[in-house]
Amino acid sequence: MYSALRTIQNTARRAASMSTAAAATGKPLTIGLIPADGIGREVIPAARQVLEALPSDIMPAKLGFVDLDAGFEHFQKHGVALPEETLAALKGDCDGALFGAVSSPSHKVAGYSSPIVGLRKQMDLYANVRPVISGSAATASGEKRAIDMLIIRENTECLYIKEEEQFEGSDGKYAIAKRRISEFASRRAGEMAFSMALQRDAMRKQLPASERTWAGRPKVTIVHKSNVLSVTDGLWRETVRKVYEANSQYKADVDIEEQLVDSMVYRMFREPEAFDVVVAPNMYGDIISDGAAALVGSLGLVPSANVGDSFVVGEPVHGSAPDIAGRNIANPIAAIRSAAMLLERTGYGSAALAIYRAVDK
């Protein structure tokens, strides 16, 4: 950890040319810290140490931190997993947040609902953004290949609206789950995908050619299963394509393709270097992004950000890891990278790039 902090300070100065207009203002940046359960209480403090180690020439904002409660353990003690006080502090006092991990049970617990799902809804964090990057990713064939993939998962609907019912039938019990796909949510996810494809292209062009892992034009891959789910996935597919068709810059500067979700998984493990930005409905994106982590080592290395129009929550995706919680051996890399994503989304590109480069070394 300490050598990583020293590397960040050395690398950060070389990234100073990436400064942004938002960063130049130097206004304070207040970050809510929600360690929640398990190893979240170990990796979030490590991410804070890295943020505090950034030199002022590339991180002009004075950082402030607010410690906040949430999680299944908090529910067990107080009867609520996402306290109103936490939401009020995020909405009133914070510019962004870091969320650690949650130990949601696999069985139904009366009165309990996942705090991270609730946080996404309450803060309107409509896209989960997950980069999967490696100079030598392990593919299904055993070859090592460089990949630079960004998976954007619609974050508010699909099957995750959690409307399920169980019935008694003549042949026994059966259950039905409702799936919601809307033009509104699909359009926002599509806009995020195409705009971030252009942003990634702009950032790549500021790097030396030797450091770029994607050499082609920006590309967005739309994932669906509309050959079977022709109504819901059909609406998703059509809406995202309309976002592309309605924007002349997207049409001029971004390539577009489609993949059925099963084919997407197969190709992702066979030729992950073929993908740039991937956009998918909530459940497909959840599965694809967790699977993609295997290409670069493990879930312990992969960051994410839950993004809305006015707020962002960085979130490592490794879970609460109760088997190692409390032993202080959890890898904080995913949390550190998630902190960098938070900085990137709040306008501090230089500081974010410094962390990315330091971690990659």
Side-chain angles (χ1 to χ4, degrees), residues 73-94:
E73 294 173 29
H74 191 273
F75 171 80
Q76 291 177 307
K77 293 177 183 177
H78 304 285
V80 59
L82 182 60
E84 288 296 326
E85 296 83 357
T86 294
L87 285 171
L90 292 174
K91 293 176 180 179
D93 303 327
C94 299

Side-chain angles (χ1 to χ4, degrees), residues 20-288:
T20 63
T25 65
K27 68 176 184 177
L29 183 71
T30 302
I31 300 172
L33 301 178
I34 313 172
D37 300 326
I39 63 171
R41 292 191 292 270
E42 298 164 39
V43 299
I44 294 302
R48 175 176 177 168
Q49 288 182 51
V50 172
L51 291 172
E52 291 177 328
L54 288 165
S56 59
D57 56 344
I58 63 156
M59 189 58 203
K62 181 180 179 181
L63 291 171
F65 299 94
V66 180
D67 294 317
L68 299 170
D69 293 319
F72 185 62
E73 294 173 29
H74 191 273
F75 171 80
Q76 291 177 307
K77 293 177 183 177
H78 304 285
V80 59
L82 182 60
E84 288 296 326
E85 296 83 357
T86 294
L87 285 171
L90 292 174
K91 293 176 180 179
D93 303 327
C94 299
D95 301 297
L98 290 174
F99 186 95
V102 62
S103 299
S104 291
S106 57
H107 58 281
K108 184 177 181 179
V109 175
Y112 175 77
S113 182
S114 169
I116 188 61
V117 173
L119 194 60
R120 291 166 181 162
K121 291 180 179 179
Q122 291 289 332
M123 304 300 293
D124 195 25
L125 307 174
Y126 59 84
N128 182 268
V129 180
R130 192 180 301 188
V132 183
I133 303 170
S134 174
S136 58
T139 65
S141 64
E143 296 178 66
K144 299 288 186 179
R145 300 181 186 176
I147 63 170
D148 184 2
M149 177 166 50
L150 187 72
I151 299 171
I152 296 179
R153 161 189 167 194
E154 196 288 316
N155 222 12
T156 65
E157 50 181 34
C158 191
L159 284 170
Y160 289 22
I161 60 172
K162 298 181 69 173
E163 293 186 14
E164 299 178 284
E165 293 181 275
Q166 184 171 283
F167 304 91
E168 289 283 351
S170 58
D171 297 323
K173 295 178 180 178
Y174 65 98
I176 295 176
K178 293 183 180 179
R179 183 178 193 243
R180 176 182 170 84
I181 298 289
S182 69
E183 277 188 313
F184 176 71
S186 302
R187 186 183 305 114
R188 293 201 298 181
E191 286 283 2
M192 179 76 69
F194 292 113
S195 65
M196 292 200 74
L198 292 175
Q199 289 173 26
R200 278 158 60 83
D201 187 55
M203 182 172 284
R204 285 172 181 143
K205 288 176 179 176
Q206 297 185 59
L207 294 173
S210 60
E211 293 187 29
R212 301 176 196 172
T213 51
W214 178 268
R217 282 164 48 89
K219 181 172 72 171
V220 170
T221 303
I222 306 170
V223 177
H224 59 83
K225 189 67 176 175
S226 61
N227 59 329
V228 176
L229 301 171
S230 59
V231 177
T232 50
D233 273 14
L235 179 60
W236 161 266
R237 171 188 171 276
E238 291 164 9
T239 303
V240 176
R241 289 199 69 97
K242 284 179 181 178
V243 170
Y244 178 77
E245 296 294 338
N247 188 299
S248 59
Q249 185 179 12
Y250 297 160
K251 291 180 70 175
D253 297 332
V254 181
D255 294 333
I256 188 173
E257 68 174 9
E258 299 180 23
Q259 284 287 156
L260 297 177
V261 63
D262 42 356
S263 175
M264 174 68 207
V265 172
Y266 177 82
R267 284 194 67 200
M268 184 176 71
F269 285 104
R270 297 293 298 183
E271 46 177 337
E273 75 281 5
F275 299 103
D276 181 17
V277 176
V278 176
V279 62
N282 204 340
M283 188 176 72
Y284 300 160
D286 192 2
I287 295 168
I288 290 168

